Amino acid sequence: GAVVSQHPSWVICKSGTSVKIECRSLDFQATTMFWYRQFPKQSLMLMATSNEGSKATYEQGVEKDKFLINHASLTLSTLTVTSAHPEDSSFYICSASGNNLGVYQPQHFGDGTRLSIL
Amino acid sequence: AQTVTQSQPEMSVQEAETVTLSCTYDTSESDYYLFWYKQPPSRQMILVIRQEAYKQQNATENRFSVNFQKAAKSFSLKISDSQLGDAAMYFCAYRSSDAGGTSYGKLTFGQGTILTVHP
């Protein structure tokens, strides 16, 4: 089945540094990728939607300059948390789907990245 | 905008028994998809079951079945013969069927229900 690889699975870094998270579709072309944030025992909150070759669409309240999303190819999207602070510590999950108009395309999830900012 | 509500923060069930998780949603669309996802402690998102709104028949996947009431906008999940491995957080999710929009595939999740299975 389709696989989405998310890397790294866990990262710890100092406050003020930038962290990049990668999301790759391994065996299909991911026209659209989604980035979610999840706090412990809470739901997944959509941060942004990225379509290959175009700017990401951010959800209300998500800082575009803080969470930089790049979707430069049909198999790779990256989320960069710039100047990370302890309040950015969370679990980040990506998902990806193809876009075959008129045909249902399932959404495939990465295994998530646990981000801890000291 | 669509909303999804899970009113049961926590549920528990004895092994081999049956449990039902509730979900309601709000939408003005007539065609859409509804999902139940399972998130075990590993935090992987695992698709449990999918329902297409235009289908009247309730979806089933082995021990998992749904009760889809379109008019009432209700979508409950029934787990039969519960197993210890069913313990997880369960999310109900909504997705528009509109294939032409820039947010194609966007999922709206409910708050989640933590399911505990007692041996």
Side-chain angles (χ1 to χ4, degrees):
Chain A
V3 176
V4 172
S5 174
Q6 187 172 342
H7 179 81
S9 57
W10 196 355
V11 58
I12 303 173
C13 60
K14 293 182 179 180
S15 181
T17 58
S18 294
V19 179
K20 180 183 284 188
I21 302 170
E22 292 187 348
C23 182
R24 293 181 183 272
S25 59
L26 299 184
D27 56 359
F28 69 101
Q29 293 185 329
T31 309
T32 306
M33 287 188 172
F34 302 89
W35 288 95
Y36 298 88
R37 183 174 182 175
Q38 185 183 30
F39 291 106
K41 295 189 177 182
Q42 293 189 24
S43 187
L44 281 72
M45 298 303 298
L46 180 65
M47 300 174 65
T49 303
S50 72
N51 291 290
E52 185 267 337
S54 61
K55 289 185 178 180
T57 302
Y58 289 81
E59 295 298 304
Q60 193 172 9
V62 177
E63 299 176 59
K64 300 178 182 181
D65 296 332
K66 176 74 171 176
F67 299 99
L68 300 179
I69 291 172
N70 183 279
H71 191 166
S73 77
L74 283 171
T75 58
L76 175 65
S77 177
T78 60
L79 167 67
T80 301
V81 184
T82 61
S83 186
H85 291 286
E87 58 267 27
D88 298 323
S89 298
S90 189
F91 190 67
Y92 294 86
I93 308 175
C94 73
S95 68
S97 67
N99 190 358
N100 192 344
L101 297 182
V103 178
Y104 171 77
Q105 293 291 327
Q107 193 167 134
H108 305 283
F109 285 86
D111 287 342
T113 298
R114 183 184 300 178
L115 176 62
S116 298
I117 309 297
L118 304 177
Chain B
Q2 294 81 25
T3 59
V4 178
T5 302
Q6 292 177 250
S7 59
Q8 305 157 316
E10 298 183 19
M11 291 285 285
S12 64
V13 63
Q14 289 294 133
E15 198 175 3
E17 296 295 307
T18 296
V19 64
T20 299
L21 308 185
S22 301
C23 172
T24 59
Y25 59 95
D26 190 28
T27 183
S28 59
E29 299 177 330
S30 59
D31 198 15
Y32 46 87
Y33 301 100
L34 293 167
F35 306 85
W36 279 98
Y37 282 91
K38 171 185 177 181
Q39 189 181 43
S42 66
R43 304 190 83 168
Q44 258 188 317
M45 292 294 288
I46 301 167
L47 177 63
V48 175
I49 202 163
R50 170 172 64 101
Q51 175 78 44
E52 293 154 347
Y54 68 87
K55 289 186 177 179
Q56 291 186 334
Q57 187 173 9
N58 289 324
T60 62
E61 285 289 341
N62 300 313
R63 297 183 294 108
F64 299 88
S65 62
V66 298
N67 183 1
F68 173 48
Q69 301 290 326
K70 190 172 184 179
K73 295 180 182 174
S74 171
F75 183 62
S76 62
L77 174 70
K78 185 171 82 171
I79 306 174
S80 303
D81 186 24
S82 297
Q83 300 175 0
L84 295 177
D86 294 335
M89 192 159 189
Y90 286 81
F91 292 100
C92 177
Y94 173 102
R95 172 176 153 180
S96 171
S97 67
D98 177 17
T102 56
S103 294
Y104 174 72
K106 172 182 174 180
L107 288 168
T108 301
F109 288 92
Q111 301 90 329
T113 298
I114 298 173
L115 177 66
T116 303
V117 181
H118 298 289

